[in-house]
Amino acid sequence: MSGRPRDTVSLVAGLAIAGLGVLLVLDALEALDLSLAYLAPAVTATAGAILLVHGLSRSRER
Amino acid sequence: MIGAMAVPADAAPAEDMRRIRRDPEAGMIGGVCAGIAGRAGIDPIIIRLAFVAAALFSGVGLIAYALAWIFIPARQGGTVAARLRPARGNIEAVLGIGLLVLSAALLLRAVGWWVSDAVVWPAIAAAIGGALVWRQFVGPAGAAAPAEAPRGPVQAETRVEPLPGARRLSVAGVGVTLVLGAALVFLWANGALDAAGDAVLATVVVVVALGLILAPVWWRLGRNLAAERAERIRSQERAELGAHLHDSVLQTLALMQRRADDPREVAALARRQERELRAWLLDRPPARAGESLAGALEAAAAKVEESHGGGIEVVTVGDCALDDRAEAVLAAAREAILNAAKFAGDAGPIDVFAEVTPQRIEVFVRDRGPGFDPGSLPDDRQGVRESIVGRMERHGGRTEIRTGADGGTEVELSLERGAS
């Protein structure tokens, strides 16, 4: 492991988007039926998590 | 010395005790339930169960918890909203929280844990609007406190400057609009606006909405009244303190100035004033000489002190009613104190220690005089022989008189309370 400080924002954003991508892939493969009723909360949760972590990290830097 | 050490009062201001504070250390998530339970004095599990039950009701509990987490300040530090507010970048965090709450609501709607769009969405809008209005009128913890109040380092860091008046009103206006809009949407979605027969429901909803808007004003009014009452009580206490100082301490000081040529009288005045002041400071009722042994012992010591001068320090542990046995010990102790004051009063203070237990009464009178041999007392000296030793023996007690090698005499009186 390198001594570089961990970038929490990138980590959370990456995980959230990766999770969303997995859902979309499963939907495309018809492994699950991802209707708009489920897609909307997934997208808003992803965006919300990224915004929240980014905002918190900026306030901490101050 | 009479009395006990005063315990310093808790330094936490009463204002802090009245406010709900999140307790993240005791909590499982954000400490909201633990904080509310701590304020209400109940088990946190009850609050947690209430939130879980509300969460099962279309996720209202989740949203309420999130809002409480944001707006209720933690014990150490301010609110999450206060920490987020000053920076432009924190708008992102607030939006993020909003999106997460929205996501939770949409997910609950998708899985079927949903009452009705006509109920939940107006409820969420009303909750947000109510929170905005409440916050503008009641204010965050840091801004509501007076500027001169002492603050810890954590509070100082998280202190929030109050919003300018215009911005404050505009934010409150958004809140009011949200609440009224939510109420109207709720009425419209439920058909209450179309049907005249539902006027009662409409009235109820409007009243509830108005109550939500006006509640912070009433809350603030109540707080102001409480603060005014506290100030009035403080003012009365100051007046009472001033009156007491005038009636007792200042009068005694004036008397001492007039008797400055008589050191013994001055010392007796000072001792009497000291006793009175200590009793007043410790909020101790005046000793009732005729009712309890401790009170009678203190009164006897004070009387001897006034008549013979010197200092007599009385310490009592426990107390009992003045029955025949206690009267006998008291009379013997009074004689011992009198002897000590007569023959050793100039050598230093006289210590009197009394301990009363359910089994026995013990009194020790110690002086710093030259001491004496009890066996060598002349026959005509009845004070020690009869008034102390003989009296104690007649009541089944005992007396021990000890003289130290370098002076000083201690008279020990002991009497079993159950003995005949």
Side-chain angles (χ1 to χ4, degrees), chain B residues 205-283:
Chain B
V205 172
V206 169
V207 167
V208 169
L210 285 176
L212 202 57
I213 293 167
L214 293 176
V217 180
W218 295 333
W219 175 272
R220 192 176 187 185
L221 190 65
R223 275 175 51 183
N224 289 343
L225 287 174
E228 189 181 327
R229 182 169 172 270
E231 179 58 35
R232 195 169 59 245
I233 290 171
R234 278 197 292 272
S235 173
Q236 285 173 353
E237 284 176 349
R238 276 197 297 272
E240 188 185 341
L241 176 65
H244 186 271
L245 287 177
H246 177 268
D247 294 347
S248 60
V249 179
L250 290 179
Q251 298 285 7
T252 303
L253 287 173
L255 203 56
M256 286 165 73
Q257 286 176 43
R258 281 207 293 273
R259 307 278 173 83
D261 53 341
D262 185 352
R264 176 168 283 196
E265 180 73 13
V266 169
L269 284 169
R271 290 284 301 157
R272 191 168 58 202
Q273 186 57 62
E274 181 191 347
R275 270 197 301 274
E276 187 192 324
L277 205 53
R278 281 183 188 284
W280 185 72
L281 285 174
L282 297 173
D283 201 18

Side-chain angles (χ1 to χ4, degrees), chain B residues 312-395:
Chain B
I312 301 176
E313 313 281 352
V314 181
V315 174
T316 54
V317 177
D319 200 0
C320 66
L322 265 185
D323 54 11
D324 288 346
R325 314 181 69 74
E327 285 274 14
V329 177
L330 171 66
R334 187 189 295 126
E335 187 66 23
I337 295 169
L338 189 61
N339 282 341
K342 269 194 214 168
F343 301 110
D346 296 332
I350 298 161
D351 297 318
V352 179
F353 174 73
E355 183 173 16
V356 181
T357 64
Q359 289 78 34
R360 71 172 64 84
I361 301 170
E362 288 179 306
V363 179
F364 301 83
V365 179
R366 187 182 299 136
D367 65 52
R368 291 166 174 79
F372 71 101
D373 178 11
S376 65
L377 285 173
D379 292 341
D380 60 339
R381 295 291 300 277
Q382 296 296 310
V384 174
R385 194 167 287 127
E386 282 303 318
S387 297
I388 300 177
V389 179
R391 177 178 275 133
M392 291 298 290
E393 284 176 351
R394 282 195 295 279
H395 287 82

Side-chain angles (χ1 to χ4, degrees), chain A residues 35 37-38 40-60 62, chain B residues 80 83-84 86-90 92-97 99-100 102-104 106-107 109-112:
Chain A
S35 65
Y38 288 96
V43 171
T44 52
T46 304
I50 295 169
L51 280 173
L52 177 62
V53 174
H54 191 241
L56 287 177
S57 71
R58 283 184 66 172
S59 70
R60 208 170 287 128
R62 244 187 10 261
Chain B
V80 173
R83 287 206 300 273
L84 296 177
R88 282 179 59 197
N90 287 330
E92 297 168 4
V94 174
L95 282 174
I97 292 170
L99 283 177
L100 286 173
L102 178 66
S103 167
L106 288 173
L107 189 63
R109 185 174 182 270
V111 298

